[in-house]
Amino acid sequence: MIVASFLFYKEKDIMQIHRAKPKLLLLTGLSILLTGCSISDWYNGYYVERAAIIKGQKDRAAYYNAESPEMKELRKKNDAYCTELASRPENRVAKKGYENGVFNEPMYSVCMEKGGTPTFGTYESRQEEKRRAERRARGEIIPEYW
C-alpha cells in the first residue's frame, strides 16, 4: 500500500513537471526578451539617434540648396582650392596611427569661410552663438566668472 501510494504521487509529480516546463520556458523566454530590449532603450537609443541624423541631413541639404547659382559656383572653386590646401603634406594634422597625418579640417573650414562660402558646420555654430547671446541678453544664461 505504501509503495503504491508512493508511486502514485511520483507519477503525479512527473505529470505536473511536464506541464510546467513549457510554461516556465515561455515565461523565461519572454522575460529575457523584454528586459533585453526595452521600449525606452529602443526609443532613446536607436530611434532618436536616427531621427537626429535625418534632421541634420535635411538641414544641411536645405542650406546648400538655398544658395544662388553664383554662390554654388564660387563654393566649387573654393572647395577645390581649400581641399588642396588642407590636404598638403605640410598642412596635415599629426594623429596617432596615421603615419602621414590626416586632413586638416579646421584649416579647410577657415579657408572656406574666408573665401565667402562658409560650410554648414560653420553656419550652424554661428547660429548657436547668436542664440546663446540672445539668451544671455534675456538673462536666461548667467555667465560664469572664474
Side-chain angles (χ1 to χ4, degrees):
M1 181 78 176
I2 295 174
V3 175
S5 63
F6 177 72
L7 289 176
F8 175 73
Y9 285 120
K10 187 172 183 179
E11 195 174 299
K12 188 176 178 184
D13 288 342
I14 290 171
M15 295 299 286
Q16 288 176 349
I17 290 171
H18 283 295
R19 277 187 259 136
K21 276 186 182 178
K23 290 178 185 177
L24 183 63
L25 185 63
L26 181 65
L27 183 64
T28 305
L30 283 174
S31 64
I32 289 172
L33 180 68
L34 292 176
T35 58
C37 58
S38 66
I39 296 298
S40 64
D41 288 346
W42 174 81
Y43 183 80
N44 292 330
Y46 174 76
Y47 176 75
V48 173
E49 182 178 329
R50 184 170 172 255
I53 290 170
I54 290 170
K55 183 184 181 306
Q57 289 172 342
K58 284 182 181 179
D59 291 347
R60 179 184 171 96
Y63 174 74
Y64 288 121
N65 290 337
E67 292 180 339
S68 65
E70 297 83 19
M71 187 67 126
K72 288 181 182 182
E73 190 62 36
L74 179 61
R75 180 173 297 283
K76 284 181 186 177
K77 290 178 184 176
N78 284 346
D79 181 54
Y81 171 74
C82 294
T83 300
E84 193 271 327
L85 179 68
S87 60
R88 287 184 186 163
E90 63 268 14
N91 294 332
R92 289 179 170 259
V93 178
K95 188 172 181 181
K96 185 178 179 182
Y98 294 90
E99 193 174 300
N100 298 324
V102 293
F103 183 78
N104 194 338
E105 183 66 35
M107 180 182 273
Y108 175 81
S109 296
V110 169
C111 177
M112 290 293 283
E113 191 172 358
K114 285 185 178 179
T117 54
T119 61
F120 178 69
T122 306
Y123 165 77
E124 208 172 34
S125 64
R126 279 192 199 155
Q127 295 303 315
E128 183 61 33
E129 287 174 15
K130 286 180 184 178
R131 284 191 292 271
R132 284 185 61 81
E134 290 172 0
R135 289 181 66 200
R136 254 190 242 101
R138 289 192 303 256
E140 293 176 15
I141 297 176
I142 300 170
E144 294 180 19
Y145 297 104
W146 292 48

